[in-house]
Amino acid sequence: MNKSKLGLPIGTTLDRFIKRKEEEFSYATGELSQLLRDIALAGKIINKEVNKSGLLDITGGVGGKNVQGEDQQKLDVVANIRFTRALKNGGMTCAIVSEENRKIIHLNPNCRYVAAIDPLDGSSNIDVNVSIGTIFSIYKRISPVGSRVREEDILQKGTEQVAAGYILYGSSTMLVYTTGRGTHGFTLEPSLGEFVLSHDSITCPENGKIYSINEGNFYKFDPWVREYIEECKQNQLSARYIGSLVADFHRNMMKGGIYLYPNTEKDPNGKLRLLYECNALGFIAEQSGGLATDGHQRIMTIQPETLHQRTPLYLGSAKMVEKAVSLIPATL
Ligand code: AHM
Ligand code: MG
């Protein structure tokens, strides 16, 4: 049997992997492990929904009724409901901030963990059978257990994350996560319905040949971004842009590459959300040897001010990110 770098066989189930990791910490209470299992369960449920999305369209499309006479909802709304329900029923989460909800969702105040989630990222790809993903970040609350969760419990820097990851609904479904001791990937084995270890201790190459940016915005970008794009072309890099952050990031982390979502005059903070998109991928990137920055500081050191705050993002292979942001003029 193939042994992974961690000494656990490739094919180890996620449950067993989490348990083995927990045993390395004599002080672990098991709550975080349970929360990770809840997330995996939510991922499997959303995966099921994603896989039948074409069929839902056949039966009437969004806004119509399904065969049971239930209202059909857009898949990102369905994913939000499924994810929230899984965390609520799991009983380890006191609050959630989600891309789909303006305000904090309050769960059991007697729990220690808060979660920030983008239940289904890559909205433009949801209806057209292109890879999409779920992104999650986990923090320990600051306020006392038992009290009502406050905004300060959620508005923590990315450096305070205790775990983060994503589920990629692609040609196969993968769950990739970190608790700050490397990045590990698990592939869903559909006949077993289990995530099994397929990629342990993932390393992002420090250089790569892929750049990912929405070049349709070329004329909106600052001159330094245009200069960087020109350089990528001169160096004959490959342009790859799915338009699903999780999928673009995952490919670049595995093969070596850079993902850019810059600010523009119209969107001075870019498009992507700090709490439930950028911080999680920043944590994963750094744990695999890559970088994540807003052009001026590590993504994970930004102090969030609001729940749905946006930030520019430069993410991926360390040398590529360093090179790109070295072009930013001191005046910006
Ligand atoms: P979403 O959360 O509404 O799906 O938006 C985030 C997505 C990212 O997944 C993707 O990388 C980016 O937006 C694409 O944006 P654009 O279409 O402007 O290139
Ligand atoms: Mg999103």
Side-chain angles (χ1 to χ4, degrees):
M1 186 171 287
N2 275 343
K3 284 266 174 158
S4 74
K5 294 175 212 153
L6 294 167
L8 286 166
I10 293 292
T12 299
T13 63
L14 177 66
D15 270 6
R16 193 166 293 164
F17 184 91
I18 291 173
K19 189 155 190 333
R20 288 288 286 276
K21 293 277 119 195
E22 185 190 311
E23 285 162 4
E24 289 170 15
F25 298 94
S26 51
Y27 51 84
T29 61
E31 290 166 76
L32 181 59
S33 300
Q34 181 55 46
L35 176 46
L36 290 169
R37 286 189 204 103
D38 297 340
I39 288 170
L41 175 63
K44 285 188 228 175
I45 295 168
I46 295 171
N47 179 61
K48 219 175 109 209
E49 301 287 351
V50 167
N51 284 344
K52 61 184 189 196
S53 59
L55 298 174
L56 285 180
D57 275 345
I58 291 168
T59 59
V62 170
K65 304 262 183 202
N66 66 15
V67 282
Q68 282 94 31
E70 298 161 339
D71 282 341
Q72 288 174 359
Q73 286 168 304
K74 278 184 72 104
L75 210 46
D76 39 7
V77 176
V78 172
N80 192 41
I81 294 167
R82 298 280 185 268
F83 210 99
T84 307
R85 200 177 287 163
L87 293 196
K88 183 175 177 217
N89 292 342
M92 295 298 150
T93 315
C94 53
I96 300 174
V97 59
S98 163
E99 177 167 341
E100 298 295 330
N101 299 83
R102 201 163 51 82
K103 293 186 178 166
I104 296 172
I105 303 165
H106 291 270
L107 301 179
N108 184 347
N110 296 320
C111 300
R112 291 200 295 165
Y113 292 105
V114 296
I117 58 167
D118 183 350
L120 213 48
D121 181 65
S123 35
S124 65
N125 288 323
I126 291 176
D127 294 339
V128 288
N129 218 351
V130 175
S131 298
I132 45 183
T134 295
I135 310 176
F136 61 91
S137 266
I138 310 295
Y139 295 85
K140 246 184 212 157
R141 66 186 296 177
I142 298 168
S143 59
V145 170
S147 63
R148 187 173 165 84
V149 167
R150 308 179 198 137
E151 275 210 348
E152 71 190 50
D153 292 313
I154 309 265
L155 298 178
Q156 298 190 53
K157 292 182 186 171
T159 47
E160 301 305 311
Q161 290 170 102
V162 294
Y166 56 82
I167 300 151
L168 170 60
Y169 313 101
S171 45
S172 63
T173 297
M174 272 193 82
L175 185 150
V176 176
Y177 84 98
T178 183
T179 53
R181 301 181 122 212
T183 298
H184 311 295
F186 300 79
T187 302
L188 184 64
E189 213 290 59
S191 59
L192 296 174
E194 293 270 12
F195 283 106
V196 297
L197 182 63
S198 51
H199 302 69
D200 77 337
S201 307
I202 295 172
T203 312
C204 176
E206 60 177 13
N207 236 319
K209 293 209 165 299
I210 297 171
Y211 72 102
S212 309
I213 186 167
N214 186 343
E215 264 189 86
N217 295 328
F218 188 84
Y219 292 106
K220 294 186 198 159
F221 292 142
D222 286 340
W224 75 266
V225 181
R226 291 191 240 164
E227 187 187 333
Y228 182 68
I229 293 174
E230 293 297 353
E231 248 183 58
C232 290
K233 291 179 200 286
Q234 274 152 20
N235 293 329
Q236 298 182 16
L237 301 194
S238 291
R240 294 281 184 273
Y241 191 73
I242 296 169
S244 288
L245 177 60
V246 172
D248 280 310
F249 168 71
H250 182 76
R251 181 204 53 238
N252 292 356
M253 176 172 70
M254 302 307 289
K255 291 188 161 184
I258 182 172
Y259 176 95
L260 308 96
Y261 210 106
N263 51 305
T264 59
E265 210 172 290
K266 189 172 147 270
D267 298 306
N269 296 314
K271 173 182 185 187
L272 301 174
R273 316 292 184 133
L274 175 61
L275 279 178
Y276 41 77
E277 291 179 326
C278 302
N279 269 337
L281 300 188
F283 194 16
I284 294 276
E286 289 194 10
Q287 285 295 316
S288 62
L291 287 180
T293 160
D294 70 352
H296 300 284
Q297 62 175 315
R298 270 170 82 199
I299 286 291
M300 289 205 291
T301 58
I302 300 172
Q303 175 60 56
E305 309 281 340
T306 58
L307 297 180
H308 300 283
Q309 182 170 332
R310 299 173 194 268
T311 173
L313 178 67
Y314 308 99
L315 174 72
S317 291
K319 290 222 157 106
M320 297 179 84
V321 174
E322 277 165 3
K323 168 71 209 169
V325 300
S326 73
L327 299 177
I328 301 178
T331 47
L332 278 187

